[in-house]
Amino acid sequence: MYNIFDFYEYKARLFPALLTILVPVISIVLIAPWLLPQQMQPLSLAVLLVMLVALVPLEILVRKRGKNVEKELFADWGGAPTSLMLLTSKSQLSPLLLNKYRNFLESKIHGLRFPSEAEEIEQPEKSVEICDFAIKWLLEATRDKKIFPLILRENANYGYLRNLLGIKRLALLVYILTLIVTIRHGLSLEKYDLSIVTFLAIVIPILGIIFLSTAVTKNNVKEAAFDYAKTLLAACNSPYLQAITTSSQP
């Protein structure tokens, strides 16, 4: 069930939506200070209401676009990083660590047998399915956020960047339009009317554009995704999982 106060929800989904809205709102308020709350004037309440109403569908769009871009990224990468990390031919783990994780998962999931490197080449799709099965079990076994806080944090970091990448074009469009509005406002003023506030109103969308262009990239999303995958698999070392009995279901 959706919970706006859940750490993953507000970090991975709400924050990208807020970033898209706050940049234009802050810039516009700076050049139109009469929109600021002053004795709860009706116009200020209307602006706040519009923000809250817009946030709901935008958050839904963030989630949808994030999932869509994830499918595209996984197709480019050859699968989900969590599963790829368990493949001998594609893993970023050392051979010793990979074998350790594989042996652990085989000991916990009845009937599970990871493919050899030759089998991965001969049957790539089946090999990924086997790894997916193991990862599903691991995800279920590590759902306790208090026991595995680092997994939650890395997952939220990945979700945050992935979802920002999903709405990057929309956010860039919003920021560029905001920049145009603020620049036109600045040009309409006399020199003696220009102030630091006007300057900030122009700088804020510029910083937003720079952030989206440099930080929200496929490479950074990939790095975050594989960091999460490594953190999830590292849970195989947890005494909590060591104590779990063998299961036949993921």
Side-chain angles (χ1 to χ4, degrees):
M1 184 173 65
Y2 178 79
N3 180 6
I4 194 173
F5 297 106
D6 179 79
F7 176 74
Y8 181 87
E9 296 290 346
Y10 71 73
K11 173 67 182 292
R13 295 169 183 163
L14 186 60
F15 274 18
L18 279 173
L19 276 176
T20 305
I21 289 179
L22 285 180
V23 166
V25 168
I26 293 174
S27 290
I28 298 302
V29 166
L30 285 173
I31 62 176
W34 39 270
L35 290 176
L36 289 171
Q38 295 175 358
Q39 299 179 351
M40 302 302 287
Q41 55 179 286
L43 185 56
S44 296
L45 292 176
V47 172
L48 179 61
L49 181 61
V50 169
M51 281 185 59
L52 293 176
V53 171
L55 193 59
V56 175
L58 185 56
E59 193 276 340
I60 295 174
L61 178 64
V62 165
R63 182 175 184 177
K64 182 178 180 180
R65 287 296 304 143
K67 287 296 183 182
N68 289 341
V69 79
E70 182 177 74
K71 292 178 182 178
E72 297 172 6
L73 292 174
F74 284 4
D76 291 341
W77 302 340
T82 46
S83 297
L84 294 178
M85 203 69 74
L86 286 173
L87 293 173
T88 304
S89 57
K90 297 183 178 181
S91 182
Q92 296 181 3
L93 302 172
S94 68
L96 289 176
L97 195 56
L98 175 60
N99 288 333
K100 179 180 180 180
Y101 292 161
R102 280 183 159 210
N103 291 336
F104 169 80
L105 291 169
E106 286 179 344
S107 71
K108 294 299 179 181
I109 306 174
H110 181 72
L112 175 67
R113 185 186 72 81
F114 285 103
S116 65
E117 189 168 0
E119 291 172 331
E120 291 176 9
I121 297 173
E122 293 173 1
Q123 299 177 310
E125 292 184 1
K126 183 178 179 181
S127 298
V128 171
E129 288 178 2
I130 293 172
C131 294
D132 287 344
F133 183 86
I135 290 299
K136 287 179 181 178
W137 179 90
L138 189 58
L139 287 171
E140 289 296 327
T142 57
R143 284 193 178 277
D144 194 316
K145 300 171 184 177
K146 294 182 179 179
I147 298 177
F148 302 100
L150 186 57
I151 292 177
L152 173 62
R153 192 156 56 245
E154 291 294 341
N155 189 26
N157 288 338
Y158 160 64
Y160 168 71
L161 282 175
R162 177 202 65 197
N163 290 342
L164 272 179
L165 183 63
I167 62 164
K168 180 176 179 177
R169 291 182 180 178
L170 173 62
L172 278 173
L173 176 61
V174 171
Y175 292 179
I176 290 171
L177 291 175
T178 302
L179 181 60
I180 293 173
V181 170
T182 53
I183 289 177
R184 288 186 59 130
H185 171 75
L187 293 175
S188 69
L189 298 175
E190 299 293 339
K191 289 184 178 181
Y192 54 79
D193 287 330
L194 293 175
S195 65
I196 187 65
V197 173
T198 304
F199 176 75
L200 286 175
I202 295 174
V203 168
I204 288 174
I206 292 176
L207 292 177
I209 293 170
I210 293 173
F211 168 71
L212 289 176
S213 301
T214 59
V216 185
T217 64
K218 289 185 177 181
N219 285 337
N220 285 345
V221 174
K222 184 176 183 179
E223 183 178 348
F226 278 88
D227 284 345
Y228 163 63
K230 292 175 184 176
T231 302
L232 177 63
L233 287 170
C236 293
N237 298 319
S238 166
Y240 175 81
L241 293 192
Q242 296 285 344
I244 294 180
T245 57
T246 303
S247 172
S248 59
Q249 297 294 329

